[in-house]
Amino acid sequence: MRVLLAGGGTAGHTSPLLATADALTRLDPTVEITCLGTPRGLENQVVPAAGYPLELVPPVPLPRSLSLDLLKVPGRVRAAAKAAGEVLDRVRPDVVVGYGGYVSVPAYLAARRRRLPVVVHEQNALPGLGNKVGARVARRVAVSFPGTDLRHAEVVGLPLRRMISGLDRDAVREEARAFFGLDPDVPTLVVTGGSQGARRINQAVSGAAELLGLSGVQVLHVIGAKGEVPDDVARPSRRDGGDGPAYVVERFVERMDLLLAAGDLMICRAGANSVAEAAAVGLPAVFVPLPIGNGEQRRNAEPVVSAGGALLVDDADLDPGWVSATVPGLLADPDKLAVMGRAASTLVPADADERLARIVLEVAAGGGRGGGGA
C-alpha cells in the first residue's frame, strides 16, 4: 500500500503529517509513505530527519486581499497541479492525504484528475481555503475540533507524535532542563512563536527579561528562524556560571517533548498544534492568537481557555508590562498551575494519530464513504 501525505510550510502542517506517518507505519509496517511539500517550508528539515521521502512542488500562496498577485493564482495553481500530478504518476499512491496549506490544493486537484481517493485533515477550528476545496473531493474529512464547518466532517482530534502524546512531564523534567542548560528547581517559562517566530511575543518577553530574572523565573525562549531579541538578554544558569536565573535563547527546537517537559508555563501562539500539544501534556499556557487570518487561532484556544487550562491575551495587549505583571505571580502558584494543567489535559484525544491512520488505510483499501474525487 502506498500513501502520499501532502502538507508543509510550518509545524502546524508538518507535525500532524509526521504523526500520521508514524502511526501508519505502526499499524502496517509494509506501507510506503511519500510526503509532498514545497521548497520553502519546514518540511525540508523535518521530513527527511524523520526518515520519510519528500517530493516538492511549487507553492501557491493565496493573497489575503485583492491585488495583482491574485491574477497570478490560476496559473500558479495549474503549474503546481501539473507538478503534483507528475509526482502522483511516479509514486502511484493508493490514497492522497492533505493537511491544508500551499501544497494541498495542487495535490487535491491532481488526485481528482486521476480519480485517486482523498482524505482531508483540518487542524484548525475554522478551516482554511485549501481544505474547503479538498473537502469537496474527499472520501473522508477529519477535523481536530468539534463544530469545524466542513462537509462530512468527523472529529478525530489533532494527530500528535507519540513523543508528545505519551510524554510524562514530571518524569523527564530534570533531564529536559539539563538538556537546555536550565536549573532543575527554578520556576520555568517556555516561550515560542512557532517555527518562524512571533515578533510581538519575542519583544514582550525579552522586554520583561530583567524583571523575570529578579522574580526568580528562568526562561527558555524559542525565537524562531526569523526572530530577534536583544543580544544582552541571554544569560546562563547559575550552575553554568550565571549570576541569576537562566534566559536561554534558541532559534529552533527539534525536541519539542523536552521543551514541553522543561516548562511550568508556556507563552505561545494559538495554532492548532501549539494548543493541542500544550493541552495533551497538561502544560498551562498563555495563548496569544495571531491577529491576522480569519480568527481561527482564537477559536482553537477557546475550549482550553473555557475549561480553565489556559489564559488568552490579545496580541495588541501583550507587552513587557503584561508579562511582568502576570507571569511571575502565576509561576509562584504551583497549585493553580496544577489545576490548569489537569483541566487542559482532559480535552485532547491521545490517539488522534491512529484514528486518522485507520481512516487512511480504510480508504486506501477501498473502504470509506463514497463521493468526492474517486
Side-chain angles (χ1 to χ4, degrees):
M1 186 176 291
R2 300 184 184 94
V3 178
L4 185 130
L5 306 176
T10 66
H13 294 128
T14 59
S15 293
L17 180 152
L18 290 174
T20 310
D22 291 346
L24 284 167
T25 57
R26 286 196 306 271
L27 294 173
D28 181 359
T30 68
V31 70
E32 297 179 16
I33 294 171
T34 301
C35 301
L36 187 70
T38 74
R40 63 175 66 168
L42 182 64
E43 60 271 25
N44 293 273
Q45 295 171 249
V46 298
V47 169
Y52 297 107
L54 176 66
E55 298 277 354
L56 302 175
V57 298
V60 186
L62 299 176
R64 295 183 180 272
S65 60
L66 292 175
S67 66
L68 289 177
D69 265 356
L70 193 61
L71 301 177
K72 301 176 183 177
V73 169
R76 290 171 175 166
V77 169
R78 285 193 296 270
K82 181 176 183 293
E86 292 169 355
V87 174
L88 296 184
D89 292 340
R90 184 168 61 255
V91 174
R92 300 177 62 193
D94 298 291
V95 60
V96 172
V97 186
Y99 296 84
Y102 296 161
V103 71
S104 288
V105 171
Y108 296 147
L109 296 176
R112 184 183 188 188
R113 175 166 292 187
R114 287 154 180 80
R115 302 186 62 79
L116 292 171
V118 168
V119 173
V120 166
H121 184 273
E122 173 58 50
Q123 294 85 55
N124 291 302
L126 290 176
L129 178 59
N131 276 347
K132 288 180 180 179
V133 172
R136 299 179 66 86
V137 303
R139 285 277 184 89
R140 301 280 289 273
V141 178
V143 298
S144 300
F145 299 98
T148 302
D149 186 18
L150 282 177
R151 295 172 56 179
H152 308 304
E154 49 192 302
V155 180
V156 301
L158 183 71
L160 300 175
R161 303 194 77 178
R162 287 300 167 98
M163 63 191 290
I164 304 296
S165 62
L167 177 65
D168 183 340
R169 290 174 55 231
D170 292 336
V172 298
R173 179 172 292 113
E174 185 173 350
E175 173 195 350
R177 291 183 178 176
F179 181 85
F180 291 111
L182 300 168
D183 283 310
D185 301 316
V186 175
T188 303
L189 173 69
V190 295
V191 184
T192 175
S195 55
Q196 299 304 308
R199 179 179 297 177
R200 174 75 68 171
I201 293 175
N202 289 346
Q203 291 176 341
V205 178
S206 64
E210 183 176 0
L211 187 139
L212 290 172
L214 292 173
S215 301
V217 173
Q218 64 183 351
V219 181
L220 170 58
H221 190 161
V222 185
I223 63 174
K226 299 179 181 179
E228 298 293 340
V229 294
D231 293 338
D232 60 353
V233 163
R235 58 177 178 260
S237 65
R238 283 192 177 95
R239 71 177 184 179
D240 292 332
D243 57 359
Y247 195 115
V248 175
V249 177
E250 301 279 356
R251 286 206 171 273
F252 178 74
V253 170
E254 291 187 4
R255 292 296 302 273
M256 279 300 296
D257 57 325
L258 295 182
L259 180 140
L260 295 169
D264 297 304
L265 177 71
M266 180 162 73
I267 296 178
C268 60
R269 289 296 190 199
N273 212 57
S274 296
V275 171
E277 288 185 344
V281 303
L283 176 60
V286 175
F287 293 128
V288 188
L290 193 68
I292 61 174
N294 59 4
E296 70 274 12
Q297 289 205 356
R298 179 176 290 271
R299 284 279 298 273
N300 293 342
E302 283 173 353
V304 185
V305 174
S306 297
L311 303 180
L312 188 144
V313 57
D314 287 337
D315 186 82
D317 294 334
L318 185 75
D319 58 21
W322 190 97
V323 173
S324 299
T326 309
V327 169
L330 264 178
L331 285 169
D333 191 345
D335 291 338
K336 181 174 183 178
L337 292 175
V339 170
M340 291 176 69
R342 286 194 295 271
S345 65
T346 64
L347 301 176
V348 175
D351 62 344
D353 55 342
E354 291 199 355
R355 291 188 191 186
L356 181 58
R358 291 186 189 281
I359 289 172
V360 172
L361 293 173
E362 183 180 345
V363 171
R369 286 193 289 268

